[in-house]
């Protein structure tokens, strides 16, 4: 259609029709390209609003889903984290709570102090609620990697290793 348009004279009806056809094709191509592009990753305002609305309506599942999406995009979002922490505590779903703590702690965008706190909470859940020695060992090791000068974390890691009778790992420390 574009080649036909180039061959025609300005002001001619055939020229106008060919130009309209080129514009229609260009618009359909533009729409097709837009359909292939995923939603913008930074859709945080809409997700935060959806989370607040769902929480206000006491639609826990929808609020949870929105909060999880928010944390995937911004692990430092304190509102989404607090909502999930309260929700999983109420549900007594400590496994999911630990999962969220670990996911957030893995984010390099979080300040190290917050990452350590989340890992400490994951370690505590692992030992106190989930009886998962391996999970606790992993969390304490991550804290020690994050802050090798943290003597308390090293001592707690040694204690968990002793309680779990992980003598080989204890010797390696």
């Amino acid at each position: 259609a574009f080649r036909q348009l180039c061959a025609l004279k300005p002001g001619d009806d055939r020229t106008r029709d060919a130009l309209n056809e080129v514009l229609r094709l260009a618009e359909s191509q533009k729409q097709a390209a837009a359909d292939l592009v995923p939603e913008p990753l930074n859709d945080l305002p809409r997700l935060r609003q959806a989370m607040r609305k769902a929480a206000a309506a006491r639609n826990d599942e929808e609020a949870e889903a929105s909060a999880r999406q928010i944390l995937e995009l911004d692990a430092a979002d304190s509102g989404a984290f607090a909502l999930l922490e309260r929700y999983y505590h109420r549900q007594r779903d400590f496994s999911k709570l630990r999962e969220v703590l670990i996911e957030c702690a893995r984010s390099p965008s979080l300040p190290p102090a917050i990452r350590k706190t989340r890992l400490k909470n994951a370690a505590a859940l692992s030992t106190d609620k989930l009886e998962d020695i391996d999970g606790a060992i992993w969390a304490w090791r991550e804290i020690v990697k994050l802050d090798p000068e943290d003597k308390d974390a090293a001592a707690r890691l040694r204690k968990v290793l002793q309680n779990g009778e992980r003598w080989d790992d204890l010797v390696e420390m």
Side-chain angles (χ1 to χ4, degrees), residues 9 19 21 37 50 55 66-67 101 110 115 127 168 173:
K9 297 177 185 166
L19 179 58
E21 179 65 13
V37 176
S66 294
L101 288 162
L110 276 181
R115 292 173 70 192
T127 54
D168 292 340
M173 281 190 68

Side-chain angles (χ1 to χ4, degrees), residues 36-57:
L36 294 175
V37 176
E39 283 187 33
L41 289 179
N42 196 0
D43 203 9
L44 289 172
R46 183 189 62 78
L47 288 169
R48 287 180 179 126
Q49 182 179 14
M51 180 186 74
R52 285 190 296 270
K53 279 184 175 180

Side-chain angles (χ1 to χ4, degrees), residues 68-135:
R68 297 285 301 231
Q69 288 178 334
I70 291 167
L71 288 180
E72 286 176 20
L73 298 173
D74 180 10
D77 190 293
S78 59
F81 178 78
L83 183 140
L84 289 173
E85 188 175 36
R86 284 190 310 271
Y87 177 69
Y88 292 139
H89 267 290
R90 268 195 329 267
Q91 298 295 316
R92 303 195 54 75
D93 194 340
F94 300 115
S95 179
K96 281 190 179 176
L97 177 55
R98 180 180 61 178
E99 181 181 304
V100 168
L101 288 162
I102 290 171
E103 286 171 10
C104 289
R106 286 183 171 151
S107 173
S109 68
L110 276 181
I114 294 175
R115 292 173 70 192
K116 280 177 60 175
T117 300
R118 302 249 166 104
L119 286 167
K120 286 178 181 181
N121 291 342
L125 283 173
S126 293
T127 54
D128 301 343
K129 302 291 185 185
L130 299 171
E131 298 179 4
D132 177 10
I133 293 290
D134 292 327

